[in-house]
Short mmCIF file of all heavy atoms in Angstrom, two decimals:
data_model
loop_
_atom_site.label_atom_id
_atom_site.label_comp_id
_atom_site.label_asym_id
_atom_site.label_seq_id
_atom_site.Cartn_x
_atom_site.Cartn_y
_atom_site.Cartn_z
N ILE A 659 36.82 -2.73 34.26
CA ILE A 659 36.35 -1.41 33.83
C ILE A 659 35.56 -0.70 34.93
O ILE A 659 35.47 0.53 34.95
CB ILE A 659 35.49 -1.56 32.55
CG1 ILE A 659 36.37 -2.02 31.39
CG2 ILE A 659 34.80 -0.26 32.16
CD1 ILE A 659 37.46 -1.04 31.02
N LEU A 660 35.02 -1.45 35.87
CA LEU A 660 34.16 -0.86 36.90
C LEU A 660 34.84 0.27 37.67
O LEU A 660 34.20 1.30 37.95
CB LEU A 660 33.68 -1.94 37.87
CG LEU A 660 32.58 -2.88 37.32
CD1 LEU A 660 32.22 -3.95 38.34
CD2 LEU A 660 31.34 -2.07 36.93
N PRO A 661 36.14 0.16 38.04
CA PRO A 661 36.77 1.30 38.73
C PRO A 661 36.77 2.58 37.89
O PRO A 661 36.52 3.67 38.41
CB PRO A 661 38.19 0.80 39.00
CG PRO A 661 38.08 -0.68 39.02
CD PRO A 661 37.03 -1.02 38.02
N LEU A 662 37.02 2.46 36.59
CA LEU A 662 37.00 3.63 35.73
C LEU A 662 35.59 4.21 35.61
O LEU A 662 35.40 5.43 35.62
CB LEU A 662 37.52 3.26 34.33
CG LEU A 662 37.60 4.39 33.30
CD1 LEU A 662 38.49 5.52 33.78
CD2 LEU A 662 38.09 3.85 31.95
N ALA A 663 34.58 3.34 35.55
CA ALA A 663 33.20 3.81 35.50
C ALA A 663 32.82 4.52 36.79
O ALA A 663 32.17 5.58 36.79
CB ALA A 663 32.25 2.64 35.22
N ALA A 664 33.23 3.94 37.92
CA ALA A 664 32.91 4.55 39.22
C ALA A 664 33.63 5.89 39.37
O ALA A 664 33.11 6.83 39.98
CB ALA A 664 33.28 3.59 40.35
N GLU A 665 34.85 5.98 38.84
CA GLU A 665 35.62 7.22 38.95
C GLU A 665 34.88 8.39 38.30
O GLU A 665 34.96 9.52 38.77
CB GLU A 665 36.98 7.01 38.28
CG GLU A 665 37.88 8.24 38.32
CD GLU A 665 39.20 7.98 37.60
OE1 GLU A 665 39.58 6.79 37.46
OE2 GLU A 665 39.84 8.95 37.18
N ARG A 666 34.11 8.11 37.26
CA ARG A 666 33.35 9.16 36.55
C ARG A 666 31.87 9.12 36.90
O ARG A 666 31.04 9.70 36.20
CB ARG A 666 33.55 9.02 35.05
CG ARG A 666 34.96 9.44 34.60
CD ARG A 666 35.24 9.01 33.17
NE ARG A 666 36.49 9.59 32.67
CZ ARG A 666 37.70 9.18 32.98
NH1 ARG A 666 37.84 8.17 33.85
NH2 ARG A 666 38.78 9.77 32.49
N ASN A 667 31.54 8.39 37.95
CA ASN A 667 30.17 8.33 38.47
C ASN A 667 29.19 7.82 37.40
O ASN A 667 28.09 8.35 37.23
CB ASN A 667 29.72 9.71 38.96
CG ASN A 667 28.50 9.62 39.88
OD1 ASN A 667 28.28 8.59 40.52
ND2 ASN A 667 27.69 10.66 39.92
N ASN A 668 29.59 6.73 36.72
CA ASN A 668 28.74 6.13 35.70
C ASN A 668 28.15 4.82 36.22
O ASN A 668 28.81 4.08 36.95
CB ASN A 668 29.53 5.84 34.42
CG ASN A 668 29.99 7.11 33.75
OD1 ASN A 668 29.26 8.09 33.70
ND2 ASN A 668 31.22 7.11 33.23
N LYS A 669 26.93 4.53 35.82
CA LYS A 669 26.29 3.27 36.16
C LYS A 669 26.50 2.29 35.02
O LYS A 669 26.20 2.59 33.87
CB LYS A 669 24.80 3.49 36.39
CG LYS A 669 24.07 2.22 36.79
CD LYS A 669 22.57 2.49 36.99
CE LYS A 669 21.84 1.20 37.34
NZ LYS A 669 20.38 1.42 37.51
N PHE A 670 27.03 1.09 35.35
CA PHE A 670 27.38 0.10 34.34
C PHE A 670 26.37 -1.04 34.40
O PHE A 670 26.12 -1.62 35.47
CB PHE A 670 28.79 -0.44 34.59
CG PHE A 670 29.42 -1.06 33.39
CD1 PHE A 670 30.40 -0.40 32.67
CD2 PHE A 670 29.03 -2.32 32.96
CE1 PHE A 670 30.99 -0.98 31.56
CE2 PHE A 670 29.60 -2.90 31.85
CZ PHE A 670 30.60 -2.23 31.14
N THR A 671 25.78 -1.40 33.23
CA THR A 671 24.79 -2.47 33.15
C THR A 671 25.19 -3.43 32.05
O THR A 671 25.54 -3.00 30.94
CB THR A 671 23.38 -1.92 32.85
OG1 THR A 671 23.04 -0.96 33.84
CG2 THR A 671 22.36 -3.04 32.85
N ALA A 672 25.15 -4.75 32.35
CA ALA A 672 25.55 -5.76 31.37
C ALA A 672 24.37 -6.69 31.08
O ALA A 672 23.68 -7.13 32.00
CB ALA A 672 26.75 -6.57 31.86
N GLU A 673 24.16 -6.98 29.78
CA GLU A 673 23.13 -7.94 29.35
C GLU A 673 23.82 -8.90 28.38
O GLU A 673 24.06 -8.55 27.23
CB GLU A 673 21.96 -7.23 28.66
CG GLU A 673 21.25 -6.22 29.55
CD GLU A 673 20.17 -5.46 28.78
OE1 GLU A 673 19.92 -5.81 27.60
OE2 GLU A 673 19.60 -4.51 29.34
#
Side-chain angles (χ1 to χ4, degrees):
I659 293 298
L660 286 177
L662 181 59
E665 180 182 338
R666 288 167 171 76
N667 198 26
N668 294 320
K669 181 181 178 182
F670 200 104
T671 304
E673 300 175 7

